[in-house]
Structure formats: structure tokens, C-alpha cells
Amino acid sequence: MYKHILVPIDGSNLALKAAKEAAALAKNLKARITALYVIAPFMPRASDGYISPFNETLARRYKEDTQKVAAQALEKVGKAAAGVKVRCDQVAVINHQPWAGIVKAARDRKCDVIVMGSHGRGGLASLLLGSETQKVLSHSKTPVLVCR
């Protein structure tokens, strides 16, 4: 059965709900969790029709801010896991596409299952906004448990 559960988190209440489900599942299976936060890489801003030159100060501030946000989100998963006495590693990775970061982390860390939330958008909203969960389902060879 499952021994290593990947839990992608984005800081939303829905992702935290999925993390709590993953923690309960891990407890029942005597498994461990890896909480994952995917950070978008720093991109210079487009202003007035051109890309502004790379700004080291902005890049450093972006890195500090995104790492802080990631750490806060990951800590919530850590607390949920600790509450049911489940081991939880906390990892932040950088990737342009969250779904790709999730699929790669599951493969690299040899996770047995991915447990993640879905907003359940359908139709035009899904088409316009995209669905990271749908993309993970489409590209992952690791089983995915979707929580709503």
C-alpha cells in the first residue's frame, strides 16, 4: 500500500483540507508525507511595453517573500501531520508550471500517491483559468487522490 504521500500545497483552505485528509490517510497506512510548495521563478516585470532589466534587489526580495509564503503554507501541513503523529518533510521547489513541479517531485521523491485539492471549476472557468489538478492527473504516472 501507500508509504509515501506527496501533498502539494498552495496556501489555500482547500489545499489545507486535502493535507488534513492526507495526514489521516498516512496515519492509517503508517505512511509519511512530503508537503510540497511550488514557487514560480522570478521574472522581470514588463512595463511600458518592454521587459525591464534584471534587478538584483527585486529578485532577492521576491525570493525572500516567496520562501516566507511557502514556509508558512508548509508549516500548516506540518502541524496537521504532527497532530496525528505522522512524519512530514517540507519542501519548496521552483518551477514555471506548478503541475510540472508536482509531477517531478512525486517522481524524484518516489512518492506512491499524490493527494491534492481541486476547486472543481468546470466549463469556461476551467478552460480560462486552467486546472493544475487536471494537468497533474493528465501527466502523472503516480496515482492522484483529489479532495474537494
Side-chain angles (χ1 to χ4, degrees), residues 13 16 23 26 49 75 77 118 123 131:
N13 288 334
L16 183 57
E75 184 57 32
V77 180
S118 174
S131 167

Side-chain angles (χ1 to χ4, degrees), residues 7 15 28 30 42 46-47 54 59 62 69 82 85 91-92 96-97 104 107 111-112 125 131 135-136 138 142 146:
V7 182
N28 288 333
K30 296 179 176 59
F42 175 75
S47 59
F54 182 79
Y62 176 81
V69 169
K85 296 180 174 62
V91 178
H96 286 281
Q97 300 170 311
K104 182 177 183 331
R107 185 180 57 247
C111 296
D112 305 304
S131 167
K135 291 172 189 168
V136 170
S138 297
T142 304
V146 179

Side-chain angles (χ1 to χ4, degrees), residues 27-84:
K27 180 179 176 137
N28 288 333
L29 297 174
K30 296 179 176 59
R32 65 187 172 108
I33 290 175
T34 294
L36 175 73
Y37 192 98
V38 181
I39 299 170
F42 175 75
M43 298 294 289
R45 293 184 287 189
S47 59
D48 300 325
Y50 66 94
I51 300 290
S52 61
F54 182 79
N55 182 316
E56 199 169 308
T57 303
L58 281 178
R60 187 175 359 91
R61 188 177 318 147
Y62 176 81
K63 182 178 180 181
E64 291 167 358
D65 290 349
T66 55
Q67 287 178 342
K68 182 179 177 182
V69 169
Q72 290 170 344
L74 291 166
E75 184 57 32
K76 290 179 183 178
V77 180
K79 286 181 181 178
V84 294

Side-chain angles (χ1 to χ4, degrees), residues 79-99:
K79 286 181 181 178
V84 294
K85 296 180 174 62
V86 168
R87 178 179 155 202
C88 179
D89 296 327
Q90 300 174 17
V91 178
V93 298
I94 297 172
N95 199 301
H96 286 281
Q97 300 170 311
W99 69 265

